[in-house]
Amino acid sequence: MPSLIDQYVLKVHGACDLACDHCYVYEHADQSWRAKPRTMSPAVAQRVAQRIAEHVGRHAIPTVRITLHGGEPLLLGVVRLRELIHTLRGVLDGVVRLSLHIQTNGVRLDPAFLELFAESGVQAGVSLDGDRAANDRHRRYASGRSSHAAVLRGLALLRREEFRPLYGGLLCTVDVANDPISVFEALMEQAPPRLDFLLPHATWAHPPPRPSDVPTPYASWLGRIHARWIADGRPVPIRLFDALASAAWGGASGSEAVGLRPVALAVVDTDGSWEQADSLKTAYDGAPATGMSVFTHSVDDLARHPGVAARNEGYAGLCATCLACPVVRICGGGLYAHRFRPGNGFDNPSVYCADLKRLASEIPAARMRGIAVPRPTDPAPPHVHRLPDGAFDAFASGAGTVQGTKALADMQLSLTRALVAGLDPCHDSSSDLAVVAAAGRQLLVELDGSHPAETAEVLRHPFVRTWAKDRLRREASGGAGDDPQGGTADRLRDRAHIAGVAAAVAWHAGVTTQLPLPVRNGLAHLPGLGAVRVDQAEHTTEVTVRGRSGPPHGWIRIRRLITPWLPVALDDLDPYRAPPAGAVVPYDGIALDRLSPRQWTAWQIALSRAGRELSLLVPAYAAPLRAASRVVVPLRPMPAEPHLPALRGRAPFGALALATPTRTSDTAAALLRHFQSAKLDALTDAYVFFDTDGPASLPVPWRTAPVSPGEALHGAYAQVALAELWRARAGAPPRDGTRSRGRDRFRSADAAAAFRRSLNRADAVVDTLAAEAGTAPAGARFLAGLRTAIDRLSAAPVPVPAPGRAPGARRAGSST
């Protein structure tokens, strides 16, 4: 199946008005520009747009990004550039959301060009390598004259109020001979909305310059900028750093330079020829060529080209050295072009391998270290969480281990820290909620430095992560999904929740503090602890925290289940325990508000009995569940549960969302099923399980409609655990001997039938996933572990219950 290509680079002009000595187009191995037309013709532009529209219509692609490139695209002139842009928009507007960009050296930027960009909706990215000394090291006119002043004039225009929305950012090519801090400061003086740093294109045949006394000069250079950027409060996004962090969290990097998720990119040269990524020009003459043209081949044809496919193969496209590397899922083997070596092509690690390995370890880890600013004088390198030896295979076989589960919880803590650190600091001080957010963030930073253990305890609360993740999602989407009735006030209230997080840390640390907290529906919340009831209808309220010496006035605490079988809190207060507005419902129902004393008693009984049953019947599963589970969220009562209800989305690690127990519900099975899902979600945060070119959906026995491979794996994983529980129930004696067998709904025969049903479902789905899902190495290994567990259960006879009642055993499966 061809890749879906949604990014295009159009070489609209083949010449340049600078003579940069590090330019891969003119100065590196591929010299095909010499035989190409100087400019892209209207006919080529028209056909490109038609090909893109054709591809969009065939695959229902919602957004396409087109970057006008060169050479220097501004050499096309205002008139011809306007014609080309109008051609593209004339074909594609109304067909797809078109995101238009131009990458320029900036020396020709003037009001006429910017007025064209404003009327056409084009964002301009500018290449600049730092201050005059750094920039002029490479970016000069053919005469040797400096280009720096001309670029700064263009950037000054972009910063004007009427043109500021057109400012796309700055691209800087790294040169380790320049001082990194001077470069960073010079770039920041131009007030860019974003930055990116590009490793100079190089191969094993033509390696990059390296000072002899520095083993990883590019990582050291970028690391100094990263430390300064963090210390400055991350004032602008830096694409390379954010891409490494995103890949470390299991997300898409959004960059060809790092990460394993493919970036679907096509290049069209001035003559209309389809080319691969133009970075390949650094490898050898003709490296980007495909032999295809927009006049003869569709985008689907291009996507099937072996070279294009090779750049998007994920693990399959990596050499043995990369596959054995612990950070490969973060760096992704680096840019494809940088792997080239004469003799064996691209079957090599990147020529920047040592630098990438260091960057992939240190930059995400620095982000994960916490909210407090990393100190350059810290002697120890940041810690990167990993599963203990054998833990992954233990999870794959079903239950996992307590040690492995605690390691997953530590990974989740690191992710939560990174999410909280990534939140917008909310510099706007025009509202009381903005003041609350700023004060809360400052207190949290201080407490994280002085009381790291207590900070970690609060950040482990599952709904701190839910809050931070939802906030980042809304910030990234510009507020899309916010409650239209709440608007800006709701967004600011969400940001100000960081003050409640800080207050909870102060409580745990025994620190007395007074600070304002946001008020939501009459309550000011301290995550994991409770809430303060507020009488006035204000956005904020002052709350005094006196450590553990006494709760504030109007305090409502979160209730806790005190039992060795399942020591958890029951959270019916946290505002982020429910799904965010506009999101897919992540639980099997709607969260209940404050429970009555009678309801709380019913929950205590049901959870205690369920925890006890799991501990007695499936102790290998119960021990990790006790180690990781922190809160239970009570949901509205539901109809009688099927054996595997739909798992819509995900609850945060450490939280179990359960329907209110009834006489017919099976709380023990629900606990087990939800915990399996939570473990697998945490594993998929750390490992890539499926390739992106696998099927979108697969049939499963418990659903009438096909489901995604991920949902199918979640279901199979839960079914293996349920099979273990039903098998144990089949061998458990009835509660009151033979007289109760007729009344016990989990009689041995029923339990044995349920065991076979769960096992058969898991068996069928694991086979389907192994054959059709397109698993990555981690996914294949996990499925192999599940297959071993299924085969073990299939070979073992279902136990026969002994007569009489075993000491401590209750009616198997009862929850009331």
Side-chain angles (χ1 to χ4, degrees):
M1 184 177 73
S3 300
L4 307 184
I5 295 179
D6 59 3
Q7 296 187 39
Y8 298 85
V9 173
L10 274 55
K11 300 286 190 173
V12 300
H13 204 287
C16 189
D17 43 7
L18 295 184
C20 306
D21 59 16
H22 59 13
C23 180
Y24 60 92
V25 175
Y26 305 109
E27 303 295 332
H28 287 204
D30 182 78
Q31 292 292 299
S32 59
W33 64 274
R34 297 179 183 275
K36 300 287 177 66
R38 182 61 62 93
T39 62
M40 178 175 285
S41 70
V44 170
Q46 179 78 19
R47 193 59 179 141
V48 169
Q50 291 169 347
R51 288 298 193 188
I52 295 173
E54 174 184 272
H55 189 65
V56 164
R58 183 171 296 155
H59 299 287
I61 298 171
T63 302
V64 162
R65 177 188 174 107
I66 295 179
T67 301
L68 308 180
H69 210 280
E72 171 49 49
L74 298 189
L75 285 174
L76 201 60
V78 172
V79 174
R80 291 193 62 185
L81 199 54
R82 175 179 282 108
E83 291 173 354
L84 186 143
I85 292 170
H86 285 183
T87 295
L88 296 174
R89 286 211 172 273
V91 175
L92 294 172
D93 281 349
V95 175
V96 67
R97 182 180 178 274
L98 181 58
S99 178
L100 267 178
H101 302 258
I102 193 165
Q103 186 66 32
T104 173
N105 59 34
V107 300
R108 290 177 176 264
L109 276 176
D110 62 19
F113 277 117
L114 293 177
E115 286 165 6
L116 168 61
F117 299 161
E119 73 183 43
S120 305
V122 178
Q123 278 207 326
V126 178
S127 298
L128 181 69
D129 288 350
D131 57 17
R132 176 166 181 156
N135 197 68
D136 287 353
R137 193 181 294 276
H138 301 287
R139 296 186 182 278
R140 298 181 302 273
Y141 291 96
S143 64
R145 183 165 52 93
S146 170
S147 66
H148 190 253
V151 180
L152 295 195
R153 283 195 298 270
L155 290 172
L157 287 172
L158 270 175
R159 292 196 302 272
R160 280 169 37 177
E161 183 178 357
E162 66 268 35
F163 297 134
R164 178 74 189 183
L166 310 176
Y167 195 175
L170 296 177
L171 174 64
C172 172
T173 300
V174 174
D175 186 332
V176 293
N178 294 324
D179 177 69
I181 302 305
S182 296
V183 167
F184 178 71
E185 290 175 344
L187 296 175
M188 291 303 298
E189 285 176 4
Q190 304 307 313
R194 58 190 59 84
L195 290 175
D196 196 11
F197 290 96
L198 178 71
L199 292 172
H201 290 316
T203 68
W204 289 101
H206 300 284
R210 290 185 180 278
S212 58
D213 58 336
V214 184
T216 54
Y218 293 89
S220 298
W221 197 93
L222 288 164
R224 288 185 61 194
I225 289 180
H226 183 261
R228 171 62 180 272
W229 179 62
I230 292 291
D232 287 353
R234 299 188 4 242
V236 298
I238 296 182
R239 186 185 184 195
L240 177 60
F241 299 157
D242 290 339
L244 286 166
S246 179
W249 306 337
S253 70
S255 169
E256 273 203 311
V258 295
L260 284 169
R261 303 284 183 92
V263 175
L265 173 72
V267 178
V268 183
D269 216 327
T270 55
D271 63 349
S273 57
W274 287 119
E275 290 198 342
Q276 303 176 62
D278 56 353
S279 57
L280 285 170
K281 291 179 180 292
T282 198
Y284 58 89
D285 197 18
T290 65
M292 300 180 181
S293 164
V294 297
F295 297 104
T296 58
H297 293 81
S298 69
V299 180
D300 278 0
D301 293 333
L302 175 69
R304 296 186 187 97
H305 185 276
V308 175
R311 290 189 298 109
N312 294 312
E313 286 181 340
Y315 284 105
L318 298 176
C319 68
T321 302
C322 290
L323 289 173
C325 179
V327 299
V328 65
R329 68 183 180 86
I330 303 174
C331 80
L335 193 70
Y336 189 74
H338 295 172
R339 306 174 198 170
F340 179 75
R341 187 195 299 267
N344 67 340
F346 299 94
D347 190 24
N348 306 286
S350 169
V351 72
Y352 291 101
C353 178
D355 296 279
L356 288 172
K357 187 178 292 186
R358 181 175 165 187
L359 289 170
S361 298
E362 293 183 359
I363 286 182
R367 185 82 64 92
M368 292 177 181
R369 288 178 68 183
I371 300 154
V373 173
R375 295 177 294 274
T377 56
D378 283 351
H383 178 63
V384 179
H385 295 299
R386 294 185 176 90
L387 286 181
D389 291 343
F392 184 91
D393 295 323
F395 284 124
S397 66
T401 63
V402 170
Q403 185 185 19
T405 303
K406 288 180 177 179
L408 282 183
D410 287 340
M411 290 178 178
Q412 294 295 299
L413 171 61
S414 290
L415 294 177
T416 301
R417 283 184 175 276
L419 289 168
V420 174
L423 292 175
D424 184 346
C426 193
H427 298 299
D428 174 19
S429 59
S430 61
S431 72
D432 52 354
L433 287 169
V435 172
V436 171
R441 185 181 183 88
Q442 179 61 34
L443 178 60
L444 188 57
V445 168
E446 294 171 0
L447 290 172
D448 189 37
S450 59
H451 297 83
E454 289 80 4
T455 303
E457 174 63 23
V458 173
L459 295 183
R460 286 183 188 275
H461 186 63
F463 305 123
V464 172
R465 185 180 186 195
T466 301
W467 156 71
K469 192 172 184 179
D470 182 44
R471 250 329 337 125
L472 282 176
R473 177 186 64 82
R474 295 189 187 192
E475 288 172 6
S477 63
D482 285 330
D483 183 354
Q485 301 299 320
T488 301
D490 274 347
R491 291 195 295 272
L492 289 174
R493 186 180 290 109
D494 284 345
R495 288 177 177 177
H497 186 66
I498 197 169
V501 176
V505 175
W507 179 302
H508 281 282
V511 173
T512 299
T513 186
Q514 185 178 34
L515 76 165
L517 298 184
V519 176
R520 185 189 303 269
N521 297 326
L523 297 175
H525 296 272
L526 278 67
L529 293 170
V532 177
R533 192 180 301 282
V534 179
D535 295 329
Q536 77 270 20
E538 299 290 337
H539 287 313
T540 66
T541 186
E542 288 283 336
V543 172
T544 300
V545 175
R546 297 183 178 87
R548 299 175 181 270
S549 61
H553 176 71
W555 181 244
I556 309 170
R557 68 179 178 87
I558 288 178
R559 298 174 173 123
R560 300 186 181 278
L561 183 65
I562 309 300
T563 169
W565 307 109
L566 189 66
V568 295
L570 193 140
D571 198 334
D572 51 6
L573 290 172
D574 197 292
Y576 299 96
R577 73 193 188 281
V584 176
V585 177
Y587 312 132
D588 291 339
I590 299 173
L592 289 172
D593 291 326
R594 189 65 171 175
L595 301 181
S596 69
R598 185 172 183 177
Q599 289 173 313
W600 164 231
T601 299
W603 273 97
Q604 286 180 287
I605 294 171
L607 291 172
S608 296
R609 288 181 172 176
R612 187 184 188 199
E613 181 185 20
L614 293 175
S615 298
L616 294 173
L617 297 185
V618 284
Y621 284 86
L625 187 150
R626 285 194 301 271
S629 300
R630 300 176 68 85
V631 297
V632 170
V633 178
L635 308 178
R636 290 182 185 175
M638 298 174 63
E641 294 183 359
H643 288 290
L644 193 74
L647 296 175
R648 298 186 291 273
R650 57 190 291 178
F653 190 80
L656 300 167
L658 303 178
T660 298
T662 66
R663 294 187 61 83
T664 60
S665 61
D666 189 348
T667 305
L671 282 169
L672 195 59
R673 186 183 72 245
H674 282 276
F675 185 55
Q676 290 294 95
S677 179
K679 286 189 295 185
L680 188 51
D681 282 335
L683 286 168
T684 55
D685 280 336
Y687 298 89
V688 176
F689 274 50
F690 296 103
D691 291 331
T692 54
D693 58 353
S697 60
L698 295 168
V700 292
W702 55 84
R703 304 282 285 175
T704 55
V707 301
S708 68
E711 186 175 342
L713 181 59
H714 275 73
Y717 195 45
Q719 293 286 15
V720 169
L722 291 175
E724 296 267 21
L725 177 60
W726 286 111
R727 182 178 182 277
R729 282 172 169 173
R735 184 179 182 184
D736 297 316
T738 55
R739 290 181 301 166
S740 67
R741 283 183 179 267
R743 299 191 305 270
D744 196 325
R745 68 185 179 93
F746 292 130
R747 292 172 301 180
S748 178
D750 294 336
F755 160 74
R756 285 189 292 271
R757 180 173 55 247
S758 289
L759 194 62
N760 290 340
R761 287 174 168 177
D763 187 45
V765 172
V766 166
D767 282 348
T768 301
L769 286 167
E772 302 179 23
T775 53
R781 184 174 171 183
F782 195 85
L783 286 176
L786 270 185
R787 167 51 58 199
T788 300
I790 292 167
D791 292 346
R792 171 181 55 80
L793 288 168
S794 299
V798 178
V800 177
R805 185 180 179 186
R810 68 176 183 86
R811 186 175 63 190
S814 175
S815 60
T816 57

